[in-house]
Amino acid sequence: MNNFYLCLALLLLFNPTIAWSEESSIVFTATPERCVALHKGQTCYQDVLFRWKTPEVGHYCLVLSKSQRQLTCWTGTAVQEYPYSFEGDKTTTFSLVSRDDAKALAEVKVVVTWVYKAPKQSQSGWRLF
């Protein structure tokens, strides 16, 4: 039974998530969606592949939601991919936006998690009893 839960956890960990969107025909994914660092607070490094398809011809951009920094822009409706070298110590949201009105059409998050929540205390050193 433990193997079942382990397999389920791995499946959920590496399964890309489809982002929410205001229009049902927009598809926006990030693979992998989770970046794992060893200790809490450490910077996590992960190559993330963004994929999307927009419903109509237009001018669109992939942006970091918090800073509104444009990562890439394009024109059209074809399925697009963008490889991104993620570096971060906290969960980051990315958005697909229309360049015409800067409206967010879809969002996806890259979640940062840790193996160890807090660093272990050193076993060396002086102790008073």
Side-chain angles (χ1 to χ4, degrees):
M1 195 61 154
N2 286 339
N3 287 337
F4 171 75
Y5 290 117
L6 178 63
C7 290
L8 182 62
L10 289 174
L11 180 65
L12 292 174
L13 180 67
F14 294 109
N15 188 19
T17 305
I18 295 177
W20 68 265
S21 68
E22 291 182 5
E23 299 180 38
S24 61
S25 57
I26 295 176
V27 177
F28 183 34
T29 62
T31 308
E33 67 171 10
R34 190 172 307 272
C35 188
V36 181
L38 189 58
H39 294 285
K40 185 174 183 177
Q42 283 185 331
T43 301
C44 187
Y45 301 94
Q46 178 79 44
D47 289 331
V48 177
L49 181 63
F50 292 101
R51 287 189 179 118
W52 61 86
K53 182 175 184 334
T54 52
E56 32 185 76
V57 175
H59 303 286
Y60 303 99
C61 292
L62 171 64
V63 299
L64 278 162
S65 296
K66 186 173 184 178
S67 65
Q68 293 298 310
R69 189 180 94 195
Q70 294 180 353
L71 301 178
T72 187
C73 293
W74 72 97
T75 300
T77 62
V79 173
Q80 300 284 327
E81 291 185 349
Y82 181 74
Y84 178 70
S85 295
F86 177 79
E87 294 180 24
D89 60 352
K90 55 186 141 186
T91 298
T92 305
T93 304
F94 297 86
S95 300
L96 278 179
V97 298
S98 172
R99 259 196 303 188
D100 298 332
D101 58 8
K103 178 181 171 186
L105 303 173
E107 288 186 347
V108 70
K109 291 182 181 182
V110 175
V111 179
V112 176
T113 59
W114 306 280
V115 175
Y116 302 108
K117 297 289 184 195
K120 293 188 175 192
Q121 296 293 328
S122 173
Q123 297 300 324
S124 63
W126 294 91
R127 294 180 188 218
L128 296 173
F129 293 97

